[in-house]
Amino acid sequence: MLTIVLRAILIYLVVLFLYRLMGKRQLGQMQPFELVLTLIIADLATIPMAEISVPVLHGIVPLLTLVLLHFALTLLCKFSSKFSRFISGKPVIVINPNGIDYKALKNLNLSIDDIMEAMRGAGYFKLQEVQYAIMETNGKLSVFPKSEYSPLTVGDMNMQVDKSALPINVICEGKIMKENLNIAKLDSEAVTELLKKAGIKKVKDCLVLSIDKAGAVFAQEYNKKYVTFDSYPLGQVRE
């Protein structure tokens, strides 16, 4: 009996240490490959705890192997956006200004009830309050409300406001997002101009740079405070 208790404590401490190394997020924030890894670790950890005939090392070695695999996948996802999309998928807009995108729901194998439930969880109960809703790769729904239903409640003040617009990430972690660059109708010269205005010398030094339809720019260099400024509207930066 004492042997089982000691083995259980040892395995528990090893798993706890491994999760601390991995910097695990909450369950609802996990990427698909992280969730799979968590389930396998949980299953592997129980075997040497209950089976005395199984050497402890036969339980610890697979756990360490999986953690190394996790680090390898995380590193590949960081340096390759294509590999990241292959492993984790990409965010999908399920609600746009025209309403629910049924084709997107079908591809995600979701129902209207699923979207409504996720909306309520985000604090929105009516579809007409939502400008955009994005299904993130971790399964969480991000809601971007219409201006009149935003927390500022400008609709109650009868103020005229511009339609809400999603900001577009042009640079992420030192890499230009080519697909987003095309969406924003910008070129390399425009990006260089924005970086120069933000006081950032090189693309690789930029943690994130985003711009919305109205031309509001958010830029941040690694380990420095972010800056915001107004540029030309999307598609007009290079004019």
Side-chain angles (χ1 to χ4, degrees), residues 95 118-119 122-124 129-134 136 141-145:
I95 299 178
M119 277 179 51
Y124 297 91
E129 296 177 349
V130 179
Q131 183 83 352
Y132 291 96
I134 303 172
E136 307 291 356
L141 187 72
S142 298
V143 177
F144 191 79

Side-chain angles (χ1 to χ4, degrees), residues 171 173-174 195 200-208 220-223:
I171 298 177
E173 296 185 7
L195 287 174
I200 302 175
K201 296 180 179 180
K202 300 178 180 179
V203 172
K204 67 178 183 180
D205 297 330
C206 182
L207 177 62
V208 61
Q220 183 176 353
E221 190 172 355
Y222 279 97
N223 301 319

